[in-house]
Amino acid sequence: MASKRLKISPKASLPFKTANKLKRQDLQVRRKKARDSIIRDERFRRKREEDKNPELRDDRVQKNIPLTLDRKRVWDEVDRDTGDGLGVSVDVERLKRQKLDEEAAEKNLRTETEDENRENDRDSMIDSASDTSDLEPPPRSKNAGPRTATERATSPTHSTMSTNLDLTSSALAARFPSLFSLSTPPTPKILITTSINSTLHNEARLLTTLFPYSSYIPRSSHRYGHKFSIKEISSFATNRNYTAVIVLKEDQKKPTGIDFVHLPEGPMFHFSISNWVEGKKLPGHGNPTNHIPELILNNFRTPLGLLAAHLFRTLFPPQPELQGRQVVTLHNQRDYIFLRRHRYVFREKRATEKNVVGPDGKEVKGVEGIRAGLQELGPRFTMKLRRVDRGIQRGSGQEWEWQGGMEKVRTKFQL
């Protein structure tokens, strides 16, 4: 409990200033101690009440969820004209779920209608003298309750939500058939290069350890040499069975951008890079091996996000080597893609550690005594999608499928 000497007196709470500096300092210390003591007593009192009634703790935790930008995220209206669908912020999973619910409701409605028609036919056979007009539903008033399934079935028009077909995966597969192929993707073969006269040779070699089956070719522009464009480099790589070209860009001897060219016909993705950290500069880092890593793609929800996720999927072989225990994570949050590479190990849970919890906040059953240890291998960096070009162009930005920077609402995200 709070001490009587630490309680805030009426004189101490008045907004006055004394001329003595030592007295002002002592007064501020006494105020802070009294305020901290009151807050601590309130916290202990709340803890005693929650120990008696655990429902109070659940209600408090549910109300104290911070209101972040992720929770304020807004989505576009699905039923309006959305064009090609890449510039629309819509949850594809939720859209598919609504479509399945509508199909299930329509199927149930059709089944109920057939059953009722069958019953009506049976009643008409039993009582041939009954009037057919009695089978029709009576007219409803405007203030009546919700319509039943029978009344909705007898309506000449069905009220269904109009959905843009371009938002579905089939529409994206038609526009980008090489990225959304239903067959098993081929083994990737990646050509890594840099901008002209770049100094990022070490960073480019680090990317060869990140992407399997990749090779680095320096790109220079000698005064008597030919300056090959990205389109010419892509044609060169296509003739040698490469599946992708990665171009690392620099500014002031630091990586500032990375371009992914999907061969043989595109598209081309432009990303900006920030917070590049090499593996050897990470505390407690490990050394990567030549094993094919596992790939984790998190939080790609919109059509544009699915397009970027399928691009990253084509850069890694479909079958990882699990004995290497390496995993590459691409986590999307607020349109920023965080790339991390770790080595994991499963170990027994210590007495001071908590059990593994799922996304719903509840403990996962079956793994009570198991924990996973992570060791970051590097490199780590953050990417942000800036533009998606149509095909492979000689001059970048001439024709594009999607371009960033046009949305000014902070609570609307594109990926």
Side-chain angles (χ1 to χ4, degrees):
M1 300 298 292
S3 176
K4 294 182 179 180
R5 295 178 300 174
L6 297 178
K7 289 184 179 180
I8 301 176
S9 62
K11 183 177 180 181
S13 61
L14 294 177
F16 71 94
K17 291 184 179 181
T18 178
N20 194 325
K21 179 180 178 181
L22 298 178
K23 288 185 178 180
R24 290 199 308 269
Q25 293 177 350
D26 181 65
L27 181 61
Q28 177 63 19
V29 171
R30 290 160 62 91
R31 285 177 176 174
K32 188 175 183 302
K33 286 184 178 180
R35 183 171 62 252
D36 295 344
S37 178
I38 293 174
I39 294 175
R40 183 173 59 254
D41 293 343
E42 178 66 21
R43 186 171 66 252
F44 288 160
R45 181 191 61 79
R46 184 174 63 247
K47 186 177 183 301
R48 290 192 297 268
E49 295 178 355
E50 291 176 351
D51 291 340
K52 297 179 182 179
N53 188 4
E55 295 181 357
L56 297 177
R57 181 181 291 105
D58 298 338
D59 296 341
R60 177 177 60 85
V61 172
Q62 189 176 4
K63 293 179 181 179
N64 290 345
I65 298 177
L67 192 60
T68 60
L69 280 178
D70 295 331
R71 294 181 57 83
K72 294 180 181 179
R73 181 172 186 174
V74 296
W75 303 92
D76 288 334
E77 296 294 336
V78 180
D79 53 348
R80 68 180 183 181
D81 187 12
T82 54
D84 58 359
L86 290 181
V88 177
S89 178
V90 58
D91 192 351
V92 177
E93 184 179 359
R94 184 183 304 174
L95 188 65
K96 290 184 178 180
R97 194 183 308 116
Q98 292 178 359
K99 185 177 180 180
L100 293 177
D101 293 342
E102 291 178 1
E103 291 178 356
E106 185 178 356
K107 184 178 180 180
N108 295 335
L109 197 64
R110 193 183 306 109
T111 304
E112 293 178 1
T113 305
E114 293 176 356
D115 294 342
E116 291 181 0
N117 292 337
R118 195 178 299 108
E119 292 178 0
N120 293 337
D121 295 340
R122 188 182 303 109
D123 295 341
S124 62
M125 293 175 63
I126 295 175
D127 188 7
S128 59
S130 61
D131 189 8
T132 57
S133 61
D134 297 337
L135 300 176
E136 298 178 359
R140 296 176 56 86
S141 61
K142 295 183 179 180
N143 298 330
R147 303 172 64 188
T148 61
T150 305
E151 296 168 354
R152 290 198 302 271
T154 55
S155 176
T157 58
H158 298 277
S159 58
T160 57
M161 180 182 298
S162 60
T163 304
N164 192 352
L165 298 178
D166 292 335
L167 298 177
T168 59
S169 299
S170 59
L172 285 177
R175 294 186 59 184
F176 307 98
S178 59
L179 286 177
F180 288 85
S181 177
L182 298 179
S183 60
T184 303
T187 302
K189 184 180 179 182
I190 304 173
L191 173 63
I192 299 178
T193 184
T194 59
S195 55
I196 298 178
N197 286 337
S198 176
T199 60
L200 302 179
H201 304 290
N202 184 33
E203 288 78 359
R205 292 188 181 94
L206 287 178
L207 291 181
T208 58
T209 64
L210 179 64
F211 299 101
Y213 306 115
S214 60
S215 58
Y216 168 57
I217 299 179
R219 185 183 177 194
S220 62
S221 63
H222 192 267
R223 57 179 299 182
Y224 299 113
H226 179 71
K227 299 180 181 179
F228 291 95
S229 64
I230 299 299
K231 190 172 184 178
E232 293 173 337
I233 295 176
S234 301
S235 177
F236 166 87
T238 303
N239 296 334
R240 286 155 180 80
N241 298 327
Y242 282 93
T243 60
V245 174
I246 298 179
V247 182
L248 187 63
K249 297 183 177 181
E250 73 162 322
D251 185 19
Q252 296 181 356
K253 298 184 179 182
K254 293 182 180 179
T256 57
I258 186 170
D259 297 343
F260 297 91
V261 183
H262 184 70
L263 300 179
E265 299 178 355
M268 185 175 181
F269 294 77
H270 301 266
F271 292 87
S272 61
I273 288 182
S274 60
N275 302 329
W276 176 284
V277 181
E278 298 181 4
K280 63 181 181 181
K281 295 184 180 180
L282 297 172
H285 70 91
N287 295 323
T289 59
N290 294 329
H291 295 89
I292 298 176
E294 305 173 51
L295 180 62
I296 298 178
L297 300 172
N298 286 338
N299 205 22
F300 293 92
R301 306 174 65 178
T302 63
L304 184 62
L306 290 179
L307 184 63
H310 279 272
L311 168 71
F312 296 128
R313 180 181 65 91
T314 60
L315 299 177
F316 293 88
Q319 296 296 334
E321 297 177 353
L322 300 180
Q323 61 270 22
R325 296 182 288 107
Q326 294 184 159
V327 56
V328 174
T329 305
L330 289 163
H331 175 73
N332 171 47
Q333 186 172 358
R334 301 180 188 177
D335 287 349
Y336 288 93
I337 303 175
F338 300 90
L339 189 144
R340 301 291 185 269
R341 179 169 56 165
H342 295 87
R343 179 182 291 115
Y344 62 89
V345 61
F346 296 107
R347 57 175 176 81
E348 295 183 357
K349 183 177 72 67
R350 302 187 182 96
T352 57
E353 294 177 339
K354 298 181 180 180
N355 293 329
V356 180
V357 296
D360 54 353
K362 299 181 181 179
E363 296 182 358
V364 180
K365 297 182 180 180
V367 292
E368 287 80 1
I370 301 177
R371 296 287 290 184
L374 295 177
Q375 183 184 34
E376 190 167 358
L377 307 179
R380 65 156 65 169
F381 53 91
T382 306
M383 297 184 294
K384 186 176 178 62
L385 183 61
R386 298 299 181 179
R387 190 173 66 252
V388 179
D389 285 344
R390 182 177 304 169
I392 305 174
Q393 303 174 24
R394 186 172 299 274
S396 179
Q398 295 175 353
E399 296 181 3
W400 42 268
E401 298 281 355
W402 177 85
Q403 186 175 6
M406 296 182 293
E407 186 60 57
K408 302 301 181 182
V409 182
R410 292 188 62 194
T411 55
K412 184 178 294 185
F413 307 110
Q414 301 296 328
L415 298 182

